[in-house]
Amino acid sequence: MSKRFFRLLTELSSRKSVSRITGAFAESRFSRRLIPWFGRTYHIPFEDAEKEWTEYSSLNDFFTRRLKPGLRPVDTTPDSLISPVDSKITGMGPIAEGQLLNIKGQDYTVEELLNGSPRTVNYRDGYFLVLYLSPTDYHRIHTPVAGRILEKERISGRVYPVNEFGLRHMTRVLSRNERLVTYLHTVYGEVAVVKVGAMNVSGIVYADPLPENVQAGDDLAYFKFGSTVVLLLENGIFEPRPDLMNGTVVKMGERLGSLHKA
């Protein structure tokens, strides 16, 4: 009964208008008073931020903070796929004939995740990783591999939560929520970085400037409040680290596995 009730409340509050209201407050100067409370509640290490908390103009300004240089070293091994974010892995595995299987008990298709893009065929038998960012995490998104940006697409949708409850009890939230997709061409093949909006995410914003050619670890985008990144790897180009599994916590810049030409 409680799950059905919470699901109903989630349905009612999953509209972009609600996120816009919360986002407007989080952008306001009044919200900066909540920064100390927010940091204590989510155990955010203030000392990691590039500025003192008093220098941030709003809660969202603090939430999208940069870190002090050197705190997230990037694995520079030429064949590395690095984590684009600080996160917990909530799904990973081979893509089987276009199916992403058993993400918290639910199956997805590449076609619905990419909104029917013609590029879907590139990932039909590839590999996927689902990376969940909690409010505690650093919320800037970086490029997972060196390459050239082929295409960017914004897909409209809802803003269901992408936490444990949302992924397990709401219907296929990763393909129903708002998404920002970046397709990268690399020397190994194609990689799609799918940034998924969520409840109270008032925006997914690209880095500015965003060059056409990027290096691993470059600024790509950031979330205004927490969400999820899905990485899709083209057919036959990726081998994950053997110790990775659902529940593994990774930091931005950390090696996720090896890339090779198909």
Side-chain angles (χ1 to χ4, degrees):
M1 180 66 180
S2 60
K3 289 179 182 177
R4 289 198 297 270
F5 179 68
F6 189 77
R7 185 182 296 173
L8 175 61
L9 290 180
T10 303
E11 287 284 354
L12 293 174
S13 60
S14 64
R15 300 180 182 278
K16 284 292 291 180
S17 56
V18 175
S19 282
R20 280 194 290 268
I21 292 170
T22 58
F25 172 75
E27 294 276 11
S28 72
R29 61 186 177 88
F30 301 105
S31 68
R32 69 190 302 272
R33 300 177 183 177
L34 296 179
I35 293 175
W37 169 85
F38 186 85
R40 290 193 303 269
T41 300
Y42 291 107
H43 307 290
I44 294 171
F46 285 92
E47 65 274 13
D48 287 357
E50 68 172 354
K51 301 186 292 187
E52 295 294 324
W53 78 262
T54 52
E55 298 179 66
Y56 293 95
S57 61
S58 67
L59 181 58
N60 230 347
D61 188 30
F62 173 73
F63 195 83
T64 59
R65 66 196 177 279
R66 297 181 187 276
L67 301 180
K68 290 176 180 174
L71 285 181
R72 294 293 183 273
V74 174
D75 188 300
T76 57
T77 310
D79 67 348
S80 281
L81 179 83
I82 66 164
S83 177
V85 287
D86 287 5
S87 61
K88 178 190 288 187
I89 297 175
T90 55
M92 60 179 291
I95 301 171
E97 296 184 348
Q99 297 274 330
L100 286 67
L101 301 176
N102 195 24
I103 301 174
K104 295 298 181 181
Q106 298 193 48
D107 298 339
Y108 292 78
T109 69
V110 177
E111 183 174 19
E112 65 186 5
L113 192 65
L114 299 182
N115 197 37
S117 168
R119 297 188 179 279
T120 294
V121 66
N122 296 336
Y123 307 97
R124 179 175 171 80
D125 295 296
Y127 200 93
F128 75 93
L129 291 142
V130 183
L131 307 170
Y132 168 68
L133 292 77
S134 74
T136 303
D137 291 318
Y138 165 63
H139 269 71
R140 288 189 173 262
I141 307 160
H142 296 257
T143 309
V145 62
R148 177 170 57 87
I149 295 177
L150 291 170
E151 184 181 338
K152 297 180 293 184
E153 181 180 6
R154 186 178 293 275
I155 303 167
S156 61
R158 301 295 286 270
V159 284
Y160 296 109
V162 291
N163 56 15
E164 176 79 19
F165 182 92
L167 287 178
R168 194 172 292 281
H169 298 291
M170 306 301 293
T171 303
R172 298 200 307 281
V173 297
L174 296 179
S175 58
R176 296 173 67 196
N177 280 14
E178 178 184 17
R179 302 180 297 289
L180 193 64
V181 185
T182 311
Y183 296 96
L184 295 170
H185 172 74
T186 79
V187 296
Y188 304 100
E190 196 171 291
V191 177
V193 185
V194 184
K195 297 155 288 291
V196 184
M199 187 175 288
N200 295 328
V201 174
S202 56
I204 312 169
V205 182
Y206 272 116
D208 183 22
L210 181 64
E212 181 181 352
N213 294 298
V214 292
Q215 299 298 315
D218 283 356
D219 275 345
L220 180 61
Y222 58 87
F223 288 118
K224 295 183 176 180
F225 281 76
S227 197
T228 288
V229 171
V230 181
L231 291 180
L232 300 178
L233 290 306
E234 189 174 347
N235 307 338
I237 69 168
F238 180 67
E239 183 68 32
R241 259 173 43 198
D243 61 313
L244 287 188
M245 62 184 70
N246 286 335
T248 299
V249 173
V250 294
K251 296 294 186 183
M252 194 289 291
E254 183 177 341
R255 180 184 176 93
L256 297 176
S258 302
L259 293 162
H260 53 84
K261 293 183 180 181

